[in-house]
Amino acid sequence: MTTLSDRALLERALIAIEEVLARVDGGPDARRPASTAAQQALTICLTAAANLVDAGQTLLRSPEDDSSDQLTQEWRVLISHVKTASRSAHQAALVLSAEKNLSSAQSGGVFIETPRICQVAH
């Protein structure tokens, strides 16, 4: 049995992730891609984490009053979030593997163009 505090903790985690994403992405021009591999990987990893927290929230909720169609749709969305997070983690690994170490990743070495990862829907 889940408690309100479990869901509240996940909500706080999601808010914290979104705040960091806003700081990372919210520079002078938020449409501009990350300038270093480390920043790019950070954005990808945080977005993946947000998707997983969203999936966790879904798994904790009580579906008592939902119709079968609603439950099926929500299950598809849940699976989509987990798949997106998995693909995002793989993409972050590719970005980071192009670098020698953390210092080179932070200094603006190799930049791999990646599509914008799906935003969290909650």
Side-chain angles (χ1 to χ4, degrees):
M1 174 93 184
T2 62
T3 65
L4 179 58
S5 63
D6 294 334
R7 292 189 303 267
L9 284 171
L10 283 177
E11 185 61 31
R12 287 200 320 237
L14 186 58
I15 289 168
I17 290 167
E18 290 173 345
E19 286 177 359
V20 174
L21 273 170
R23 288 182 191 159
V24 170
D25 289 343
D29 184 357
R31 295 167 295 172
R32 186 181 65 232
S35 60
T36 67
Q39 289 173 323
Q40 186 180 22
L42 175 63
T43 298
I44 293 168
C45 288
L46 288 173
T47 303
N51 275 294
L52 291 173
V53 170
D54 192 49
Q57 288 176 316
T58 300
L59 291 168
L60 288 177
R61 106 176 172 70
S62 291
E64 298 149 356
D65 296 331
D66 293 345
S67 72
S68 178
D69 288 342
Q70 286 174 313
L71 291 172
T72 300
Q73 177 61 26
E74 185 175 55
W75 195 247
R76 287 183 184 130
V77 169
L78 171 69
I79 291 168
S80 175
H81 282 304
V82 174
K83 284 180 179 179
T84 298
S86 171
R87 290 177 185 135
S88 297
H90 181 259
Q91 185 64 41
L94 292 175
V95 168
L96 295 174
S97 68
E99 300 296 330
K100 297 188 309 187
N101 54 41
L102 180 59
S103 179
S104 68
Q106 292 174 333
S107 67
V110 175
F111 180 78
I112 299 172
E113 185 66 38
T114 59
R116 188 74 174 146
I117 305 301
C118 137
Q119 293 297 315
V120 176
H122 57 285

